[in-house]
Amino acid sequence: MTDNVVHLHKPTDPTADDAAPTVLTVVPDTPPAAPLPLWVRSGRAVRSALTHEMTRTGARALARHSLYVYGGGRIVARRTWDARTPARYERMMRAAEAAGNLEEAREWEERGQRFRDARHRRRMDLLHSPLDAARGVAVGTGMGIGSLVALGVVMAIATSDPAHVVTPLMAVVDFINLLIRIVQVVWGPALTIGPFLALLALWAVGSKQQAAPHWALPATARSGEGEPITPSIVVKALRDLGVPALRGAIKEMGDAGASMLGPITIAGCGVEVDVTLPSGVSTNEVQGRRRKLAENLTRHEHEVFITIPQAARTVRLWVADSGALDEPIGPSPLVTDDTMTADYKKGRAPWGQDLRGDAAGLSLYQRHLLITGLSNQGKTVALRSLALWLSLDKSVQFLMGDLKGVGDWKMFDGLATTLIQGPTDEHVIQVTEMVEGAVEEMNRRIQAPPGTVFPPLIVLVDEAQVAFMCPAKDEDKRPYGGSKATSRYFMAVRKIHNQGRAVNVLMWQGTQDPTNDNLPKLVREGAHTRASLALGTESQARMALGDKAVDGGAAPNLLRPGLDRGTLVVASDGVTLPAGQSSLTVRTHYIDDDAATAITDRAKALRAGVTTLRAIDRGEDRDPLADIASVVGDASRVLTQDALKRLAALNSDAYGGWSFIDLKRVLDGTGAEPYKSHGRMVIDRDRLARALADRDGDGSASAVE
């Protein structure tokens, strides 16, 4: 039974009344806890000491440095064995045979045979070397003694002392005695220190090669972040990929999987290697495990690209240096080279760099273009950079519709024949009629005599999904948007896709977040060059690039939105593709608005002057003389051929069929008749202005309906 202790006390609050009653507290009298046995406390202390981080770090360090010596010994032994035997030639020959490269296997076999022949000759020479060495020593000794005696005789004659005859011999004997004493002094310590020096040398070799188990290495070495890609790392990454057939095949290979790998070559900011998969392993099994393969290679998913080359049952791995893809590429040559010009037919637009770091040039000759991607990923800048380069070819004409309307294309004012900017239904209607005008120009060119060469006409629509989704209808109830046979924009684009290439009328479109509704199948498949920035799903990637490119390794859906802004995957014969690949990943140059304005200023300087239409006139009465003056614009003189083209672009219904005779008919008698300048017919701006002023003063005008 436990006794209780009674405590009497008053409240300690100084504000309390002195008459406050005394408090009686009963506290059980519990005995203190018994101390733990000594062996328990000692065991806990030992366990704490053994599991402490400093102890574990020290144990790892001790094991690591001990194993460095063992691993260094194995490496030195392997190197010695390879140097003294044809083992390395045998390994390379087996690997070449496993890869099916019989020519290389024969070459390694010949090298091995030459090594054996040379080794045999050295061994045969050793049989005769003792006799040769003895003969050489005898001859050398005799000649040496003779020389010393001769020297002694000369000294004796010079000093008249016969004792100097043996002086040189005695000097040599004393020197030999000195060497013997030095060896006697050094030999004992050398025998003691020698093994330690040998162990230190082995430790240095093992330390340099990190010849220790993974758990014993330092934390920085265990992380493997950014470590170089070697054959053993690639084979191990494939072995641990989670494909049972691949893992089993690697285990059964005599060379531990080395025969699967081609040469690892430096490719830009990373390395590239072809992997020939063993029988029973398909390429899509490796492609479908891109993230796991990247992690096995100590890389992020976006730093590993898997493509299918031309060789059967082969995947091509491109592995970036850690963090290299997060570094920006250099500025565009369009910005750095003020003298650059373009050649629509033979040139290539400097679009950016591929993953190997090589310049990625895109040929635009007679190729319809489609660029898509998620919003705010650099689609407009990528599309605009192509137009900027092509604008430096003064023969190229542009019809442009920007259905975003925030000024991304404003620098083409004065360069494009038509520039419509805005997101409303009215802007869609005007863009649709612009494209339909290009169709009429295409039909006019098709009806021209065979062999006629036409200047390139680029019909460019940015944010084309706005046009496809437009609900507006014309007076005949035909929708401007949609993808039916009655949809005006859709049908105009399809007509250009079908026949425009042959007469240099090309359709360029930029769209975002593709679906079957905002990018119809027939439209996206009509583009010769298809490029995609980051997308959300594989199905969108197939819409953007096609099944062949995606099946071949193209994966814009794996690009990181925001982080890979400006990086796109292009499927086109206009870009140089590696053998067997159907697409190329390009990091495009960024050209800001100021630089773009400077480039268009250079392009305008190449032209005589272009009057840009900002709206399409529809159905109203025309004043031919005023329209001629408007298309001449600010230029002092304009060629009659250019004036006819601008009039057709202004209103194809009124002026699409005009010839030089029609133009001359309107100008005859006005004082602004066409005349020759440097052998070509031109129209003068000042004469037109005077003719308009005189006509307005007379109050007369003619109209074309």
Side-chain angles (χ1 to χ4, degrees), residues 167-184:
T167 299
L169 289 174
M170 297 306 298
V172 172
V173 172
D174 292 340
F175 178 72
I176 293 173
N177 289 332
L178 176 62
L179 292 180
I180 292 173
R181 292 194 196 96
I182 293 174
V183 172
Q184 289 175 344

Side-chain angles (χ1 to χ4, degrees), residues 248-260 276 278:
I250 292 175
K251 286 184 176 180
E252 293 175 0
M253 292 181 183
D255 57 357
S259 60
M260 297 192 306
T276 303

Side-chain angles (χ1 to χ4, degrees), residues 50-331:
L50 292 177
T51 58
H52 195 274
E53 183 61 28
M54 291 183 63
T55 305
R56 297 171 64 183
T57 303
R60 278 200 303 267
L62 179 61
R64 178 171 64 252
H65 292 290
S66 300
L67 291 170
Y68 279 166
V69 177
Y70 173 73
R74 292 185 59 187
I75 294 172
V76 171
R78 181 66 176 271
R79 291 175 180 175
T80 304
W81 178 257
D82 287 344
R84 305 293 295 177
T85 68
R88 70 173 67 186
Y89 303 101
E90 296 289 344
R91 286 200 306 272
M92 300 303 295
M93 185 174 63
R94 286 197 302 268
E97 288 176 347
N101 193 341
L102 300 182
E103 182 177 354
E104 185 178 353
R106 283 193 296 269
E107 181 180 352
W108 284 111
E109 184 179 11
E110 292 175 0
R111 291 184 181 183
Q113 187 59 44
R114 289 197 296 269
F115 174 85
R116 293 186 183 93
D117 293 341
R119 184 181 60 181
H120 177 71
R121 286 194 298 271
R122 289 194 301 270
R123 289 177 177 176
M124 294 303 295
D125 291 340
L126 289 176
L127 297 177
H128 305 284
S129 59
L131 294 177
D132 295 338
R135 189 180 299 112
V137 169
V139 173
T141 303
M143 292 180 63
I145 293 174
S147 300
L148 293 173
V149 170
L151 179 60
V153 171
V154 172
M155 293 176 62
I157 295 172
T159 59
S160 302
D161 186 359
H164 285 172
V165 174
V166 296
T167 299
L169 289 174
M170 297 306 298
V172 172
V173 172
D174 292 340
F175 178 72
I176 293 173
N177 289 332
L178 176 62
L179 292 180
I180 292 173
R181 292 194 196 96
I182 293 174
V183 172
Q184 289 175 344
V185 172
V186 174
W187 184 254
L191 290 178
T192 304
I193 300 175
F196 293 101
L197 294 177
L199 292 176
L200 182 61
L202 295 178
W203 176 89
V205 173
S207 176
K208 184 177 181 180
Q209 299 294 328
Q210 296 285 301
H214 187 72
W215 57 267
L217 296 176
T220 55
R222 290 199 306 271
S223 66
E225 184 69 23
E227 63 181 345
I229 300 300
T230 62
S232 60
I233 289 177
V234 176
V235 172
K236 185 176 182 298
L238 294 170
R239 185 195 67 193
D240 299 338
L241 199 55
V243 181
L246 180 58
R247 185 180 184 90
I250 292 175
K251 286 184 176 180
E252 293 175 0
M253 292 181 183
D255 57 357
S259 60
M260 297 192 306
L261 306 184
I264 297 179
T265 58
I266 297 176
C269 57
V271 296
E272 188 175 72
V273 59
D274 285 353
V275 181
T276 303
L277 300 176
S279 177
V281 182
S282 63
T283 56
N284 60 359
E285 288 183 285
V286 178
Q287 278 186 304
R289 292 169 169 81
R290 176 184 174 186
R291 173 174 294 181
K292 188 170 185 179
L293 178 61
E295 292 173 350
N296 290 348
L297 294 170
T298 66
R299 295 295 191 273
H300 297 290
E301 183 178 12
H302 71 278
E303 295 175 330
V304 174
F305 288 82
I306 306 172
T307 54
I308 308 300
Q310 195 169 7
R313 213 174 67 242
T314 303
V315 293
R316 178 168 295 161
L317 307 181
W318 185 86
V319 185
D321 297 336
S322 185
L325 294 183
D326 296 327
E327 299 294 331
I329 64 174

Side-chain angles (χ1 to χ4, degrees), residues 327-589:
E327 299 294 331
I329 64 174
S332 171
L334 290 173
V335 178
T336 58
D337 186 0
D338 294 339
T339 63
M340 175 175 283
T341 58
D343 186 340
Y344 162 73
K345 186 173 182 180
K346 299 180 180 179
R348 289 178 178 267
W351 212 5
Q353 294 180 359
D354 61 16
L355 296 179
R356 296 168 179 80
D358 299 328
L362 180 65
S363 172
L364 303 173
Y365 177 64
Q366 293 189 343
R367 290 179 176 87
H368 301 303
L369 176 67
L370 172 66
I371 299 180
T372 187
L374 297 178
S375 177
N376 196 30
Q377 298 304 309
K379 167 182 55 62
T380 296
V381 173
L383 181 60
R384 189 176 67 183
S385 66
L386 298 177
L388 288 171
W389 176 79
L390 199 56
S391 69
L392 297 176
D393 184 339
K394 62 181 180 180
S395 67
V396 178
Q397 303 170 8
F398 292 97
L399 302 177
M400 291 186 169
D402 175 17
L403 294 177
K404 184 189 297 181
V406 296
D408 290 333
W409 298 87
K410 62 183 179 181
M411 65 287 301
F412 282 86
D413 193 352
L415 185 60
T417 306
T418 302
L419 177 59
I420 300 170
Q421 301 179 88
T424 66
D425 290 348
E426 178 62 25
H427 292 102
V428 173
I429 294 172
Q430 293 184 10
V431 167
T432 301
E433 293 178 348
M434 178 191 76
V435 179
E436 290 174 339
V439 173
E440 294 179 4
E441 169 65 14
M442 176 189 72
N443 293 332
R444 184 187 70 81
R445 294 183 177 189
I446 291 174
Q447 295 171 5
T452 305
V453 179
F454 299 100
L457 176 61
I458 306 300
V459 185
L460 189 152
V461 179
D462 194 13
E463 305 296 342
Q465 77 279 356
V466 178
F468 285 113
M469 300 300 291
C470 178
K473 296 182 179 180
D474 61 13
E475 60 274 7
D476 297 328
K477 304 300 181 182
R478 293 181 59 197
Y480 287 92
S483 57
K484 297 181 180 179
T486 56
S487 301
R488 292 181 58 178
Y489 180 80
F490 170 75
M491 291 304 299
V493 172
R494 287 289 301 135
K495 289 176 182 177
I496 294 178
H497 278 176
N498 289 338
Q499 296 179 298
R501 183 191 65 82
V503 290
N504 284 332
V505 178
L506 303 178
M507 192 74 208
W508 290 11
Q509 295 182 97
T511 182
Q512 64 176 252
D513 202 10
T515 65
N516 285 322
D517 294 327
N518 64 23
L519 188 60
K521 184 175 186 291
L522 292 177
V523 170
R524 60 183 186 250
E525 291 185 351
H528 302 99
T529 297
R530 300 164 72 173
S532 175
L533 294 104
L535 288 174
T537 63
E538 182 180 328
S539 62
Q540 287 184 316
R542 293 184 180 275
M543 291 181 189
L545 301 177
D547 291 337
K548 179 181 179 181
V550 175
D551 291 339
N557 53 301
L558 296 181
L559 295 174
R560 302 167 298 168
L563 297 176
D564 290 327
R565 185 180 289 112
T567 299
L568 52 77
V569 182
V570 57
S572 171
D573 61 350
V575 69
T576 303
L577 297 174
Q581 292 186 205
S582 56
S583 65
L584 185 71
T585 301
V586 177
R587 304 172 69 195
T588 59
H589 296 294

